[in-house]
Amino acid sequence: SAAASMRGGMAQRPRVRGPAIDAWSLLPLAVIGLGYLLGRTDEFHLVPLAVILPIMLAWAGSAVRLVAVRVVVGLALALIAVHGLERRAGQALHPPALAAVPGPAGDGVQTSPADARALRGLQRELGRITQPGEPIFVANPRFDLVHAGDPLLYVITGQPNPTRYDVMQPGLVTTAPVQREMIASLARTRVVVRWLDPRADLREPNGGSRSSRVHLLDRWLATHFHPVARFGVDGDAADVVLVIGRTSAGLSLFAVENGMSRTSLATMDQTRTHARTHALSSAAHPPGWSAWTVTAAGSSTG
């Protein structure tokens, strides 16, 4: 009957079109992710879109009956998968040495042995000169040009940020009004930890690579704090050796992690340890390491 046919049509419609419609419900998130990426095109801002887009494609592709569309969606998903596998291939073939991040906040997360040792020493020093839960400020090497900060250090140490700026965003913390606000928030802070990492002021292919020429916070920190300890990689304990290698784009800097021998050297600089290293492995990748300098309140010239 006509009524039965109508009921049958209504019953079949969700099975044919429902998944596709549901998949498109993710479109607003994909648009937001795309806008977030275009606002600052780097690996950090790619993450939201990289999560949403594959799910959306797989969901929509499963509901489409046209073979050609399914093939296109499948190729797009395969390309995303191959890209992810290619990025992990080096780690799978040459797994880096890892050690647990110290402290309860680490919860099994791993980092390089050098970073783990440095973090343990840093935590001991902070435990000696600060009270539990006392605010510390994790500062970049400079504030006229920033790429990224180290907000995870607040979580690892369990000590809060006295300012409201956890993320070191170019165009924000590099401006005079924000730096004045940060200085006011740091008035009662006794300890600042400098994050010394090449990624802190990495040059980006956009306006963020230009210095704002605002050094208010840099000068204030240099005047009011002095170094008391440094934690990071030294020559005789280095897990990474930096070498210059030739690529299709020219000379580049690479890090060699495994298969190294080292001989300690005596030098006139007694504040750091030095060594002659010999890389025995050809596995290398672009460099990335961290070091931290603990500074305490007080004149740096006094």
Side-chain angles (χ1 to χ4, degrees), residues 8-301:
M10 291 176 65
Q12 292 176 2
R13 186 177 180 183
R15 291 199 297 270
V16 175
R17 297 183 57 190
I21 294 174
D22 290 342
W24 284 109
S25 66
L26 294 176
L27 183 60
L29 292 177
V31 171
I32 293 172
L34 179 61
Y36 187 62
L37 173 63
L38 294 177
R40 187 180 174 194
T41 52
D42 59 23
E43 67 275 18
F44 303 113
H45 293 73
L46 175 63
V47 172
L49 186 62
V51 172
I52 294 299
L53 188 59
I55 297 174
M56 185 176 173
L57 287 174
W59 197 349
S62 66
V64 175
R65 291 187 171 184
L66 294 175
V67 176
V69 176
R70 287 195 171 193
V71 169
V72 171
V73 172
L75 289 174
L77 289 172
L79 182 62
I80 294 173
V82 168
H83 176 68
L85 291 172
E86 187 274 334
R87 288 176 62 90
R88 297 297 181 185
Q91 292 184 353
L93 295 174
H94 306 282
L98 295 173
V101 172
D107 194 26
V109 175
Q110 294 184 313
T111 184
S112 69
D115 273 4
R117 284 194 299 271
L119 285 169
R120 285 193 294 271
L122 175 62
Q123 288 180 322
R124 284 194 297 269
E125 181 65 18
L126 290 176
R128 184 183 70 83
I129 64 176
T130 65
Q131 298 297 320
E134 179 181 343
I136 62 171
F137 181 56
V138 181
N140 275 41
R142 54 192 289 190
F143 282 92
D144 65 306
L145 189 154
V146 300
H147 172 70
D150 190 17
L152 280 178
L153 195 59
Y154 296 117
V155 179
I156 294 172
T157 61
Q159 297 183 269
N161 183 352
T163 78
R164 63 191 183 104
Y165 298 97
D166 285 336
V167 177
M168 296 293 107
Q169 182 76 21
L172 187 65
V173 300
T174 55
T175 64
V178 170
Q179 291 192 16
R180 291 191 186 97
E181 178 189 340
M182 295 173 76
I183 289 171
S185 300
L186 293 170
R188 297 184 179 181
T189 301
R190 296 190 307 121
V191 173
V192 169
V193 178
R194 284 277 190 183
W195 183 51
L196 307 176
D197 189 294
R199 294 164 291 186
D201 51 8
L202 186 69
R203 298 300 178 102
E204 304 178 27
N206 53 47
S209 64
R210 293 191 295 269
S211 169
S212 68
R213 300 188 179 183
V214 177
H215 300 279
L216 298 175
L217 185 53
D218 292 328
R219 287 195 290 263
W220 187 84
L221 291 172
T223 301
H224 291 80
F225 292 84
H226 65 278
V228 295
R230 178 188 170 98
F231 303 92
V233 175
D234 285 323
D236 66 348
D239 294 295
V240 179
V241 169
L242 298 182
V243 298
I244 296 176
R246 188 177 299 278
T247 69
S248 58
L251 295 178
S252 295
L253 193 64
F254 292 92
V256 180
E257 293 197 42
N258 296 318
M260 294 182 299
S261 67
R262 61 176 60 85
T263 304
S264 296
L265 296 176
T267 68
M268 296 183 65
D269 182 5
Q270 299 299 308
T271 64
R272 306 294 300 275
T273 57
H274 302 261
R276 178 180 291 109
T277 58
H278 304 274
L280 306 178
S281 170
S282 60
H285 57 79
W289 67 89
S290 290
W292 297 268
T293 296
V294 179
T295 61
S299 172
S300 60
T301 59

